[in-house]
Amino acid sequence: MKFLEFDKTRDFPFYRHNPHLSNESWLILLLSVPLAFLVYVFLSSFTSELVGSVYFMLIMLIPLLYFSNWNYKLFIQKPTKNEIILGVLMFIGYMIYSIIIENLLVNLGIVYPAGANPLNIDYISLISLIFSMMGEELIKFIPLMFFLRLFYKVTENRNLSFALSSIIIMIGFGLLHYDFTSSVISVLLLQGLGTSFELYGYFKTKNIFVSYLSHILTDATVFILILSGL
């Protein structure tokens, strides 16, 4: 078996009507993204982070499954050994990348996101990552597939369409982390361009689990270091 060889028969869903989604279906899926985010903020503030994280994920996941005819294998598969290895490699790659970028920003005098507040992190926060990280992957996946469909209609080039869609997703995901206490360039580099590691994992495997694994390892590592007092 070749190192990091993946199933080449898999493809991205929806972009070639595989399966077909109506305009109404796309509208509902796209609206589920901001709705999930707003519900997460509300429930996390007034109930618990765990409850908010579960609803955050389900508000996007349920309509996605429904419009996929409940065929979850269109976007998530049982991971193979090579896919798990790739997810871990993407996690390591992002950690190295983030350390380099943070040091670069400091040397340039640019304020970067402070990250999670240690006072708000507990073991419930760690458990909540199981759901919130899948929610964050869906926040990227749904619009990624939407733009892939749009660009493919024009270019008829799958890889080019994915690349163009990924640029939009990286910019959007980066700006989603902007909180007025940092700089736009810092979130675009750390959370935005940093998302390329997760997008690459999905591109190679067509399996959201790989990007999810990379993402949850990143955030869980940060949370564990905080809880350990490091």
Side-chain angles (χ1 to χ4, degrees):
M1 180 183 294
K2 295 181 180 179
F3 181 64
L4 293 187
E5 188 175 66
F6 306 105
D7 187 348
K8 295 181 180 179
T9 64
R10 293 180 189 169
D11 197 7
F12 305 117
F14 312 125
Y15 78 103
R16 290 191 307 164
H17 300 306
N18 50 328
H20 171 74
L21 291 186
S22 66
N23 291 337
E24 292 78 12
S25 300
W26 277 120
L27 179 61
I28 292 172
L29 284 175
L30 291 173
L31 287 176
S32 73
V33 173
L35 176 62
F37 182 76
L38 292 174
V39 170
Y40 170 73
V41 172
F42 177 81
L43 291 179
S44 297
S45 300
F46 294 99
T47 56
S48 74
E49 186 176 0
L50 180 58
V51 171
S53 297
V54 171
Y55 276 91
F56 176 53
M57 178 188 72
L58 291 178
I59 287 172
M60 291 176 287
L61 181 59
I62 291 175
L64 180 60
L65 285 169
Y66 176 77
F67 293 125
S68 302
N69 296 316
W70 305 103
N71 182 11
Y72 64 89
K73 290 185 178 180
L74 286 173
F75 49 90
I76 190 167
Q77 303 268 345
K78 179 181 178 181
T80 64
K81 181 181 71 174
N82 282 352
E83 289 173 346
I84 292 174
I85 292 173
L86 180 62
V88 173
L89 289 176
M90 292 301 97
F91 152 67
I92 295 172
Y94 174 75
M95 294 301 289
I96 294 172
Y97 168 81
S98 64
I99 292 172
I100 293 173
I101 293 299
E102 286 179 6
N103 278 282
L104 177 63
L105 292 173
V106 169
N107 290 330
L108 292 175
I110 300 174
V111 179
Y112 62 88
N117 186 342
L119 298 178
N120 295 330
I121 302 300
D122 54 24
Y123 289 100
I124 297 299
S125 303
L126 193 59
I127 296 171
S128 299
L129 290 177
I130 297 171
F131 307 101
S132 62
M133 291 301 96
M134 179 54 72
E136 289 200 17
E137 289 310 303
L138 293 176
I139 266 186
K140 293 180 286 188
F141 176 76
I142 291 173
L144 177 67
M145 292 301 102
F146 173 73
F147 286 114
L148 177 59
R149 168 63 185 153
L150 288 183
F151 287 125
Y152 186 77
K153 288 174 66 176
V154 177
T155 67
E156 296 187 352
N157 184 314
R158 189 193 69 164
N159 290 347
L160 174 61
S161 299
F162 185 87
L164 294 173
S165 303
S166 295
I167 292 172
I168 295 174
I169 298 307
M170 286 189 287
I171 293 173
F173 192 70
L175 293 177
L176 193 62
H177 289 80
Y178 181 64
D179 60 1
F180 301 102
T181 62
S182 55
S183 65
V184 172
I185 190 171
S186 64
V187 295
L188 288 178
L189 287 175
L190 285 169
Q191 283 84 7
L193 189 57
T195 302
S196 61
F197 290 90
E198 292 148 15
L199 290 171
Y200 177 79
Y202 175 69
F203 175 77
K204 291 294 292 183
T205 63
K206 319 302 185 291
N207 186 358
I208 284 183
F209 182 87
V210 176
S211 55
Y212 170 73
L213 176 61
S214 174
H215 202 165
I216 197 171
L217 285 174
T218 300
D219 283 48
T221 298
V222 173
F223 281 21
I224 290 172
L225 290 175
I226 292 174
L227 289 171
S228 301
L230 300 176

